[in-house]
Amino acid sequence: MGGARDVGWVAAGLVLGVGACYYIYRLTRGQRRGAPRGPRLRPSPSIEDLTDCSCDDVLNAEQLKKLLYLLESTEDPGILEGALVTLGNSAAFSTNQAIIRELGGIPIVGSMITSANDSIKEKALNALNNLSVNVENQEIIKVYIDQVCEDVFSGPLNSAVQMAGLRLLTNMTVTNDHQHMFKSYITDIFHVLLAGNGITKVQVLKLLLNLSENPAMAEALFGAQVDASFLALYDSHVAKEILLRMLTLFQNLNNCVKMDGSLVLRSTFMFHKGSLFFLLYGQECAQKMKALVNHPDVDVKEKVLIIT
């Protein structure tokens, strides 16, 4: 599924304030002179190495605990951003995903997504995104789905916060476990698909593809009221990365119809005019599929032939 390939997030190119770097550095490294030497899992990387993505080391539990304490104990935006970036980078490692959960770190990071500071909110969402790769972590992160959906679908279009939220929602729909929580947001998802730029469209389609692979979500998807401009995304001039995902969306939903033939019989009283079902199985869409059979790209042709 599309969402599973996007889980590796790094904060490349981020420049932290010197004071914030030093503060976090001291917390994660500890006093090196005059302090008793207890057992250590491995040498600590510097904060500079972590934030410039040159470090492939893994923080230990004590260092992660200090980062989480820092998130709870300061209101300085620069320090909070730096700590979230470091924690988010460390959460790219499966070992740390479990440690952060066991330290009670997910609610600490989750509390940051309501920040009035968009940069802090974005970095908290990025950290949750990496943490959400772990299935056990998803059981905790699911409590934030409604909040993230509200921010994603009502916030500034094509913003960094919206993209970070979309990546998290995509990860949370990689399995079917929490997809039912998205049913009330389906129409909003399609709205962002149509209104967003190319990058946003691709990310929204990854989310929709995850949902469309679950037959239990077919009725909610088919019943969504979608503007007729949706069909313009099946035009031959649409970028390949978008067009192929649009065709895969149709293919997945078509498979659901084949699995549940009664969907067609029930469609006359289940789905209203203007619903996704009537758009996909209407005359205009059929004409577009017919035209795409002659598309110059082989992958597009193959997808259309599978659908038709």
Side-chain angles (χ1 to χ4, degrees):
M1 284 180 266
R5 298 192 184 98
D6 287 350
V7 297
W9 171 84
V10 293
L14 182 71
V15 179
L16 294 177
V18 174
C21 284
Y22 183 69
Y23 189 15
I24 303 171
Y25 173 83
R26 290 294 297 274
L27 278 174
T28 56
R29 291 294 294 262
Q31 294 288 346
R32 301 181 64 181
R33 297 179 180 177
R37 296 188 177 186
R40 298 179 65 184
L41 296 181
R42 60 194 305 172
S44 302
S46 71
I47 188 65
E48 291 86 352
D49 288 339
L50 285 169
T51 54
D52 69 9
C53 307
S54 64
C55 179
D56 59 358
D57 208 350
V58 182
L59 296 182
N60 62 38
E62 186 60 30
Q63 294 158 350
L64 290 170
K65 184 185 294 185
K66 289 175 180 178
L67 277 174
L68 292 171
Y69 171 77
L70 181 59
L71 287 175
E72 290 188 299
S73 62
T74 183
E75 296 182 358
D76 185 293
I79 295 176
L80 287 174
E81 287 184 44
L84 285 168
V85 168
T86 304
L87 195 70
N89 282 344
S90 70
F93 297 95
S94 57
T95 300
N96 284 349
Q97 292 160 9
I99 292 174
I100 292 169
R101 179 187 68 250
E102 292 162 2
L103 290 173
I106 294 177
I108 296 173
V109 176
S111 68
M112 301 287 168
I113 68 172
T114 60
S115 172
N117 184 314
D118 283 346
S119 185
I120 291 175
K121 181 182 294 189
E122 176 204 352
K123 290 165 179 61
L125 288 168
N126 283 332
L128 287 179
N129 181 46
N130 277 356
L131 288 165
S132 70
V133 179
N134 183 297
V135 175
E136 291 181 69
N137 287 355
Q138 287 197 359
E139 287 300 314
I140 304 172
I141 295 172
K142 69 181 181 182
V143 303
Y144 304 109
I145 286 178
D146 284 333
Q147 178 65 53
V148 176
C149 283
E150 293 294 332
D151 289 340
V152 165
F153 302 128
S154 64
L157 193 64
N158 306 321
S159 66
V161 170
Q162 185 177 69
M163 288 302 299
L166 283 169
R167 287 191 292 267
L168 174 58
L169 295 179
T170 301
N171 271 355
M172 293 298 292
T173 55
V174 167
T175 68
N176 297 347
D177 296 342
H178 313 299
Q179 290 189 2
H180 63 280
M181 300 179 69
F182 290 78
K183 287 186 176 180
S184 61
Y185 299 103
I186 299 296
T187 297
D188 296 319
I189 295 173
F190 280 105
H191 174 74
V192 173
L193 171 67
L194 299 181
N197 61 22
I199 296 174
T200 299
K201 279 179 167 57
V202 169
Q203 192 62 51
V204 174
L205 281 167
K206 291 177 182 180
L207 171 60
L208 284 171
L209 288 180
N210 285 350
L211 297 175
S212 68
E213 290 180 346
N214 180 5
M217 293 296 295
E219 188 173 316
L221 289 166
F222 276 134
Q225 292 296 297
V226 182
D227 191 87
S229 61
F230 171 84
L231 293 178
L233 294 177
Y234 286 114
D235 288 343
S236 60
H237 61 78
V238 171
K240 179 180 175 180
E241 62 177 344
I242 293 175
L243 183 55
L244 281 176
R245 287 184 171 90
M246 286 291 295
L247 289 168
T248 303
L249 176 64
F250 196 167
Q251 179 186 349
N252 289 347
L253 291 170
N254 208 34
N255 289 339
C256 292
V257 171
K258 293 176 181 178
M259 293 173 60
D260 183 4
S262 64
L263 265 175
V264 177
L265 298 176
R266 304 196 313 266
S267 64
T268 54
F269 58 88
M270 282 180 57
F271 308 126
H272 300 289
K273 297 289 184 181
S275 67
L276 181 64
F277 184 91
F278 279 95
L279 287 177
L280 290 177
Y281 293 101
Q283 185 62 34
E284 184 180 352
C285 190
Q287 292 174 349
K288 289 181 179 292
M289 292 299 112
K290 185 176 180 180
L292 286 175
V293 171
N294 299 315
H295 196 280
D297 187 88
V298 175
D299 294 331
V300 171
K301 283 183 179 179
E302 289 180 353
K303 280 285 185 185
V304 173
L305 290 174
I306 291 172
I307 295 170
T308 57

